[in-house]
Amino acid sequence: MAQTPINALILVCTLSPSPKASSSDLLARQVAAEFTGHQVHSEILRIADFDVKPGVLKDMGGGDQWPGIRQKLLAADILVLATPIWVGHPSSLAQRVLERLDAELSQTDEQGRPILFGKVGVVAVVGNEDGAHHVIADLGQGLADVGFTLPAQGSTYWVGQAMHTTDYQDLDQTPQVTANATQIATRNAAHLARLLKARPFPAP
């Protein structure tokens, strides 16, 4: 049965610019592949490839490239934040994305709803130390605060053994538990995005 086509924007918040290999980018591409099966078109952007200025405005000037990313975000139905774990927290670039999203709190649609209402947020995390749940909680709360709706089990992650150096991209194959989490997160995100598109939140 044909489904309403929807779009996802996946922001990879690795600290490594392209074309350097990145575990966060690998997981992001696996999320995008799963979305394809739910008729969701994905675009992946690596934040380190852009000059995203610090700040809480829609446009910080001085060559700030966030406005272009923002337009893609506003056109998307789903936003995925993919981040590594650094010292137990999301990367600084993931935090910067949340800070830039703060500007949307004052933006409303033609019916007075916050402009990000009706959009779905998903979190993907990789790291070599425990802390994925903490990072998901941080980013999930931030996304919810600015207006995104989080699906049931709307996250996927992998963490390696503490104090070891094996990275996600070094694995011979994706662990089944991570693959299952990605399948659930993408399926539920696509379902929720279609529900919200058909039945938006009530206007004030």
Side-chain angles (χ1 to χ4, degrees):
M1 179 181 294
Q3 294 180 307
T4 303
I6 54 178
N7 298 308
L9 178 64
I10 304 176
L11 299 182
V12 180
C13 299
T14 174
L15 301 182
S16 302
S18 301
K20 187 174 181 180
S22 161
S23 289
S24 299
D25 187 75
L26 173 59
L27 184 56
R29 293 184 184 282
Q30 292 173 341
V31 168
E34 284 294 331
F35 269 143
T36 300
H38 302 288
Q39 297 182 36
V40 179
H41 174 266
S42 301
E43 181 174 6
I44 301 174
L45 299 179
R46 197 182 289 205
I47 294 297
D49 294 341
F50 298 86
D51 185 5
V52 175
K53 304 290 187 185
V56 293
L57 302 178
K58 291 186 295 181
D59 187 345
M60 297 302 299
D64 183 23
Q65 293 184 290
W66 176 255
I69 297 172
R70 177 180 181 268
Q71 290 305 311
K72 294 176 181 290
L73 185 151
L74 293 179
D77 303 291
I78 300 170
L79 172 66
V80 180
L81 285 185
T83 181
I85 301 170
W86 283 113
V87 291
H89 296 277
S91 76
S92 57
L93 292 181
Q95 181 63 31
R96 180 162 298 184
V97 169
L98 287 183
E99 290 165 351
R100 296 306 299 268
L101 288 173
D102 185 78
E104 308 308 329
L105 287 171
S106 60
Q107 306 299 307
T108 57
D109 65 15
E110 63 279 0
Q111 297 187 48
R113 288 176 292 231
I115 200 169
L116 296 179
F117 273 28
K119 296 186 184 298
V120 172
V122 174
V123 178
V125 180
V126 292
N128 285 324
E129 301 286 345
D130 196 10
H133 284 180
H134 171 72
V135 170
I136 291 166
D138 274 0
L139 296 182
Q141 180 64 51
L143 290 172
D145 280 350
V146 297
F148 287 91
T149 301
L150 308 181
Q153 297 185 357
S155 61
T156 184
Y157 67 91
W158 176 87
V159 288
Q161 188 175 356
M163 302 180 75
H164 285 245
T165 58
T166 300
D167 208 353
Y168 186 60
Q169 60 189 325
D170 299 328
L171 303 179
D172 293 331
Q173 60 184 16
T174 302
Q176 190 58 47
V177 289
T178 298
N180 287 342
T182 300
Q183 291 168 5
I184 293 169
T186 53
R187 181 172 64 244
N188 289 353
H191 177 73
L192 180 57
R194 288 191 172 94
L195 290 177
L196 290 174
K197 199 162 192 173
R199 297 287 299 273
F201 286 111

